[in-house]
Amino acid sequence: MSATGQRPDGTVGAGQSRGASKLDKRSRRELARAVAIAVLAILITLFAVFNVKQVKVSYVVGSGKAPLIIVIVISTLVGIVIAYIAERLPRKRR
């Protein structure tokens, strides 16, 4: 047998096919995850590049100008924090 677990005639040795299939599934999952992360990173980058226009932002005590992407990111982060806090609050048992 060679180091890869294959016999000289090209067949896989006993017990080798299960390990190889698990490895193949893991490799495919890791590849799919890496591709998804890369696509998401590209989309986020394009979103940021296309939203650089300055917008007027009105605060409670005043107003100012900020890039649209910054307004969107801050709004998203505030929403995530509020959702996290609301999820962590103790709920009354019925």
Side-chain angles (χ1 to χ4, degrees):
M1 257 202 266
S2 68
T4 61
Q6 287 186 340
R7 296 182 180 140
D9 61 355
T11 61
V12 178
Q16 296 294 325
S17 63
R18 288 185 191 175
S21 67
K22 285 183 180 180
L23 183 61
D24 290 341
K25 286 181 183 179
R26 177 188 249 176
S27 297
R28 287 185 200 144
R29 190 179 317 139
E30 289 174 356
L31 179 63
R33 184 178 294 158
V35 168
I37 289 171
V39 168
L40 188 60
I42 290 169
L43 289 175
I44 290 170
T45 302
L46 289 173
F47 184 75
V49 168
F50 290 132
N51 288 299
V52 293
K53 189 181 287 187
Q54 293 282 325
V55 294
K56 183 180 178 185
V57 180
S58 297
Y59 305 105
V60 176
V61 293
S63 64
K65 288 191 173 187
L68 181 59
I69 187 66
I70 299 299
V71 174
I72 292 169
V73 168
I74 290 174
S75 299
T76 302
L77 292 175
V78 168
I80 290 170
V81 168
I82 289 172
Y84 177 77
I85 291 171
E87 186 177 286
R88 303 281 297 174
L89 288 175
R91 297 182 185 156
K92 292 182 179 179
R93 294 185 183 197
R94 296 179 187 192

